[in-house]
């Protein structure tokens, strides 16, 4: 049985994890010939509003990751930078939700070495599950066609009021992307039953071991999804 470890981190507190995350993400994007993704930079590493989850093998190789960026009124969310110019309504939507907490699930990737293991859905669930540790009532995202089904499973809903019925041409003319939202990141009522059950389990028991099923066999997943506290709270 394959052993995978998941752990949460805060960007500004873990520069090494950030660098390894970026390297892995860039490598995957380049494999698909994509170079203009708006999250494909290192600015997020220095932002106090960014958190993430990474997947690592037993020997410490990082094989996947996902990030959450909270809207703070200073840094635009990746989805705003990506497609906001096509529909400025998006800016207004984010601004409206900032007081109660709004963020974006972004930068999902997994290495070719773990293709078929279902790491993407596990990272997505894990990323959503940690939103109770930060101020995030509403979660947004942008996804391509090949991940739309997965994102719907965990509760994302296409926002038909944006773009062309929710659709945007992004990241290039070869792709259509959808802007999505989880209307309530706390209750997760729009998720499918099993996915909601797993996300709530991870939320209430962020340190756990669980045998996750995949197309190529079972995974022994060790979760530690407690976001480490600020090690320099006075700074």
């Amino acid at each position: 049985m394959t052993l995978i470890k998941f752990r949460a981190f805060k960007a500004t507190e873990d520069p090494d994890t950030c660098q390894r995350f970026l390297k892995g993400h860039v490598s995957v994007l380049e494999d698909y010939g994509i170079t203009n993704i708006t999250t494909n930079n290192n600015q997020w590493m220095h932002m106090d509003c960014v958190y993430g989850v990474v997947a690592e093998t037993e020997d410490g190789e990082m094989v996947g990751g996902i990030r959450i960026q909270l809207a703070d009124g200073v840094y635009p969310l990746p989805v705003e930078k990506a497609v906001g110019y096509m529909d400025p309504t998006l800016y207004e939507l984010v601004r409206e939700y900032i007081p109660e907490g709004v963020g974006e699930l972004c930068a999902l990737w997994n290495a070719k070495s773990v293709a078929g293991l279902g790491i993407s859905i596990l990272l997505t669930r894990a990323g959503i599950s940690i939103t109770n540790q930060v101020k995030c009532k509403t979660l947004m995202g942008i996804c391509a066609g090949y991940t739309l089904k997965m994102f719907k499973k965990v509760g994302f809903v296409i926002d038909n009021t944006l773009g062309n019925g929710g659709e945007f041409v992004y990241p290039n003319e070869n792709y259509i992307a959808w802007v999505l939202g989880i209307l309530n990141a706390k209750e997760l009522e729009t998720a499918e039953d099993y996915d909601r059950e797993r996300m709530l389990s991870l939320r209430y028991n962020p340190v756990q071991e669980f045998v996750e099923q995949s197309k190529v066999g079972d995974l022994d997943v060790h979760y530690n999804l407690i976001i480490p506290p600020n090690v320099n709270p006075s700074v």
Side-chain angles (χ1 to χ4, degrees):
M1 189 183 300
T2 304
L3 171 63
I4 299 288
K5 298 180 179 181
F6 278 42
R7 62 179 174 87
F9 70 99
K10 182 176 181 181
T12 54
E13 297 299 320
D14 199 337
D16 177 65
T17 293
C18 289
Q19 291 290 349
R20 294 168 61 212
F21 185 113
L22 181 62
K23 182 179 178 181
H25 190 202
V26 169
S27 177
V28 171
L29 292 174
E30 289 177 345
D31 284 344
Y32 287 95
I34 298 172
T35 57
N36 63 332
I37 294 288
T38 52
T39 54
N40 186 11
N41 60 70
N42 63 3
Q43 183 187 47
W44 59 270
M45 299 181 188
H46 312 290
M47 293 162 51
D48 201 44
C49 55
V50 174
Y51 305 84
V53 177
V54 292
E56 296 169 316
T57 62
E58 196 168 3
D59 61 4
E61 178 192 358
M62 189 180 294
V63 291
I66 197 166
R67 294 202 309 269
I68 293 167
Q69 179 176 326
L70 303 180
D72 60 0
V74 178
Y75 297 103
L77 294 177
V79 67
E80 294 180 88
K81 294 171 69 174
V83 299
Y85 70 94
M86 301 183 203
D87 188 346
T89 308
L90 183 59
Y91 303 131
E92 300 169 18
L93 188 66
V94 172
R95 229 178 359 253
E96 177 186 339
Y97 283 115
I98 283 180
E100 61 183 21
V102 59
E104 179 180 351
L105 197 68
C106 60
L108 172 65
W109 67 274
N110 67 259
K112 282 187 173 181
S113 61
V114 292
L117 291 182
I119 297 295
S120 289
I121 183 68
L122 301 183
L123 282 167
T124 302
R125 287 185 197 145
I128 294 170
S129 76
I130 69 171
T131 55
N132 70 315
Q133 298 180 55
V134 297
K135 185 183 178 183
C136 184
K137 182 179 178 181
T138 301
L139 198 59
M140 302 181 69
I142 183 170
C143 79
Y146 56 87
T147 52
L148 183 59
K149 182 179 178 181
M150 180 189 75
F151 275 87
K152 284 183 174 181
K153 276 172 56 66
V154 296
F156 281 99
V157 178
I158 295 175
D159 191 331
N160 295 307
T161 67
L162 297 171
N164 182 17
E167 295 182 4
F168 291 85
V169 178
Y170 179 81
N172 57 46
E173 65 276 4
N174 297 321
Y175 293 87
I176 294 292
W178 285 264
V179 171
L180 311 167
I182 288 186
L183 304 184
N184 190 327
K186 295 184 180 295
E187 300 300 328
L188 309 176
E189 71 270 15
T190 49
E192 293 187 7
D193 290 344
Y194 181 75
D195 294 276
R196 182 173 186 269
E197 177 187 317
R198 286 299 301 139
M199 288 186 286
L200 291 178
S201 172
L202 291 169
R203 179 166 289 177
Y204 298 133
N205 301 285
V207 179
Q208 62 171 269
E209 295 181 23
F210 193 82
V211 176
E212 304 278 9
Q213 297 180 338
S214 76
K215 295 178 181 178
V216 295
D218 291 343
L219 292 178
D220 180 16
V221 185
H222 293 200
Y223 291 96
N224 183 357
L225 300 181
I226 298 174
I227 299 171
N230 190 339
V231 295
N232 294 302
S234 62
V235 175

